[in-house]
Amino acid sequence: MHSVDPRPEPLPPTRWHAPGASRPDCESAILLRSHLGPVFARAASWEALGQALIRRGIRPHLGAGGLLLRQAATGEPVCDSAFLGHPLEDLVARWGRPPVLARAGAR
């Protein structure tokens, strides 16, 4: 039986879409969905989702368009959770409203 490493290596900084494009191309989308889809499916809470994404090199951010995913190392946008098949509304239905932390100096 094949075992899954519970602590996978984070994704290396990668350009997931062409400069100026707002979404990854179809090949990159398939890779993202296969790499991050199980994270969304298995997470039992907002905290668990955030920790699992960060272990994979992705930092989640709440934004006007929903749950935005950025590369942790570079801050480059990757996509939003809806693009991966997990719209913010569905995640809120699963776990309630996401916790929001105020940052010092944020307006």
Side-chain angles (χ1 to χ4, degrees), residues 60-62 98-107:
H61 293 271
L62 285 174
V100 178
L101 301 175
R103 290 183 285 169
R107 294 179 193 237

Side-chain angles (χ1 to χ4, degrees), residues 14-99:
T14 302
R15 185 172 296 277
W16 288 102
H17 44 78
S22 62
R23 292 190 162 188
D25 59 44
C26 61
E27 291 88 358
S28 296
I30 291 167
L31 290 171
L32 279 168
R33 288 179 179 145
S34 66
H35 187 70
L36 299 178
V39 172
F40 282 88
R42 292 184 189 128
S45 66
W46 286 109
E47 182 180 4
L49 176 66
Q51 290 173 353
L53 288 171
I54 289 170
R55 281 196 303 270
R56 286 161 178 82
I58 301 293
R59 188 167 300 281
H61 293 271
L62 285 174
L67 184 62
L68 309 175
L69 306 177
R70 296 183 172 273
Q71 289 189 43
T74 66
E76 289 286 320
V78 176
C79 63
D80 62 21
S81 63
F83 182 74
L84 300 176
H86 302 280
L88 181 59
E89 300 82 28
D90 292 355
L91 300 175
V92 169
R94 283 171 66 186
W95 306 314
R97 293 176 60 186

